[in-house]
Amino acid sequence: PKEAAELQEARLLAALRRQDWKQLNRWISKMPVEQRRSERWRYWRARALEALGRRDLALPIYQALAAERSYYGFLAADRIGTLYRLDHHPTPVDEKTVEALAQRPAFRRARELVALARWSDARREWRLATQRLSKKELMAAAQLARRWGWIDQAIFTLARSGFWDDLELRFPLVHHEKVRHEADRQGLDLAWVLGLIRQESAFNPVVRSPAGAVGLMQLMPATARYVVRRLFKSRHSPKKHELTQPALNIKLGTAYLADILQRLAGNPVLATAAYNAGPKKVASWLPDDESALLPADLWIELIPYRETRQYVKRVFTYAVIYDHRLGRNPVRLSERLKPVGALGTHRMAMEATASQAAL
């Protein structure tokens, strides 16, 4: 029952919050088998066993998880010092299947609507065209959407097929030169920003959320006004439709991300959470004790909002994959995920680092 599952999770999170590893291990062992086998709770069981001095039992769990290309897979790989799984396999489709789909009336209508930028109609036509396709045909449809430049639909359609190994299609390098320019300008990590855009909009420049966020970096008009007036000292407030322009959206979005990063003492974990939930809300989730410093994986797991918790995990997972897509050695999650403490603790750490750099 749903109530029982919620109670069980509450117990697990309470044990995590106290870092009561013995109790955590006990509660995980009492979970239904399907839940216990999830990556999430396998990882935390290994962490509990390791904390209890049973690394011999934790090691095979970490090794199995490290074979996965996922958040917990990357965390597990860091615990045992192994390479990340980042293998890429192109979507297995033949050209005849792609061409056959392209000739179907529904797909031809969808393509014309895309060419006319009638996005709502195009999405409606696409849903009808793809609702009864086989897995093989969904893969072909994803390739078709990519050829049309319909990037987000290519990503979502491939996901429906259950094929996860085409990293080029799932993690495109769209607008990445614009992103690189603005990330460099703001002193931000390029892979992190690309991972955030991938999570926010799947590179759809015209998408609008139900809450009113717009474009690649899903900017609220009020946030855009704040950035323009407070950070760029301009009187011109961008209109909502202007936020669908990739160059402007990326410029304002990266400036806002850099602003949040500075306000949250340079911790990218906090800045990522704040981009989703807001800086004030994230500040309220920090430890009150100035001497407390939580491992980032623990703090992330304890984020009260499920949406924000999943958001942070995905952005950092995608950042690793984007490092790989950019031809770089991926920065390990153990390096990206900085420990979380009270804001005063972070500021003291930043001042100490600055002082050492000055010597």
Side-chain angles (χ1 to χ4, degrees):
K2 182 180 178 182
E3 295 78 7
E6 289 175 349
L7 177 60
Q8 180 76 348
E9 178 153 333
R11 287 170 176 160
L12 290 161
L13 293 177
L16 259 182
R17 193 171 289 107
R18 297 191 306 271
Q19 297 187 56
D20 185 341
W21 302 111
K22 185 176 181 180
Q23 189 72 283
L24 179 65
N25 187 44
R26 178 169 169 265
W27 282 121
I28 292 174
S29 69
K30 292 181 179 294
M31 296 179 81
V33 174
E34 187 176 343
Q35 290 175 272
R36 191 166 71 240
R37 288 178 178 171
S38 70
E39 288 190 18
R40 181 188 191 191
W41 295 117
R42 284 160 60 203
Y43 173 77
W44 285 109
R45 182 160 190 265
R47 287 276 271 116
L49 289 167
E50 187 177 16
L52 292 168
R54 297 306 308 269
R55 186 168 171 81
D56 59 319
L57 297 179
L59 189 59
I61 301 175
Y62 285 142
Q63 288 171 333
L65 280 171
E68 304 295 332
R69 187 183 55 244
S70 65
Y71 173 74
Y72 293 107
F74 296 158
L75 288 178
D78 285 348
R79 303 299 294 190
I80 57 176
T82 59
L83 295 175
Y84 290 163
R85 184 206 156 197
L86 290 166
D87 46 308
H88 159 71
H89 299 289
T91 305
V93 294
D94 60 80
E95 192 61 32
K96 288 182 180 179
T97 305
V98 177
E99 290 177 359
L101 284 183
Q103 295 306 312
R104 292 186 184 181
F107 283 95
R108 293 172 69 179
R109 288 193 297 269
R111 183 175 187 178
E112 290 301 317
L113 291 166
V114 167
L116 294 169
R118 289 174 52 183
W119 300 110
S120 295
D121 292 333
R123 282 192 295 273
R124 190 179 305 111
E125 196 68 54
W126 187 264
R127 281 195 298 272
L128 291 170
T130 61
Q131 63 184 357
R132 292 190 176 87
L133 296 185
S134 66
K135 289 185 178 181
K136 180 181 177 182
E137 288 172 327
L138 283 170
M139 292 179 192
Q143 292 285 4
L144 199 56
R146 179 166 66 171
R147 292 179 189 181
W148 298 350
W150 203 4
I151 302 302
D152 62 319
Q153 202 60 253
I155 292 169
F156 300 146
T157 303
L158 186 63
R160 287 169 55 197
S161 79
F163 185 77
W164 305 106
D165 290 336
D166 191 333
L167 300 188
E168 290 183 5
L169 193 152
R170 294 186 61 222
F171 299 94
L173 292 171
V174 187
H175 306 299
H176 83 278
E177 289 302 333
K178 292 186 181 74
V179 178
R180 186 192 301 275
H181 174 76
E182 296 299 340
D184 288 347
R185 183 181 182 187
Q186 297 295 340
L188 300 174
D189 174 63
L190 173 60
W192 179 41
V193 179
L194 287 169
L196 187 143
I197 294 173
R198 170 61 170 79
Q199 172 59 24
E200 286 286 350
S201 66
F203 294 92
N204 181 346
V206 299
V207 67
R208 297 173 189 244
S209 77
V214 181
L216 291 172
M217 297 190 72
Q218 285 292 274
L219 286 171
M220 295 294 288
T223 301
R225 286 194 296 272
Y226 164 81
V227 172
V228 167
R229 294 174 181 176
R230 296 288 297 277
L231 303 183
F232 291 131
K233 309 300 181 185
S234 172
R235 294 181 180 179
H236 170 73
S237 292
K239 295 179 174 60
K240 198 169 185 177
H241 71 87
E242 292 179 312
L243 296 178
T244 62
Q245 299 170 11
L248 179 62
N249 194 285
I250 293 165
K251 178 180 179 179
L252 300 184
T254 51
Y256 180 58
L257 184 59
D259 179 58
I260 292 175
L261 185 64
Q262 188 275 327
R263 285 156 64 187
L264 290 170
N267 189 317
V269 173
L270 303 184
T272 304
Y275 200 92
N276 177 261
K280 289 184 180 178
K281 185 59 67 176
V282 170
S284 74
W285 298 337
L286 299 180
D288 295 324
D289 184 353
E290 292 286 345
S291 64
L293 202 60
L294 296 178
D297 62 345
L298 179 58
W299 185 83
I300 291 168
E301 207 65 62
L302 295 173
I303 290 174
Y305 292 176
R306 183 180 184 279
E307 177 190 328
T308 304
R309 189 166 64 244
Q310 294 301 109
Y311 178 93
V312 173
K313 293 175 185 178
R314 287 172 181 158
V315 168
F316 281 104
T317 302
Y318 296 168
V320 170
I321 295 170
Y322 269 109
D323 263 336
H324 177 68
R325 290 281 290 116
L326 291 163
R328 310 191 305 199
N329 289 325
V331 176
R332 310 285 295 198
L333 284 191
S334 55
E335 295 177 50
R336 288 185 181 279
L337 302 183
K338 299 181 183 299
V340 173
L343 277 182
T345 305
H346 291 298
R347 290 192 179 108
M348 286 188 287
M350 286 181 71
E351 289 166 4
T353 301
S355 298
Q356 290 173 354
L359 293 178

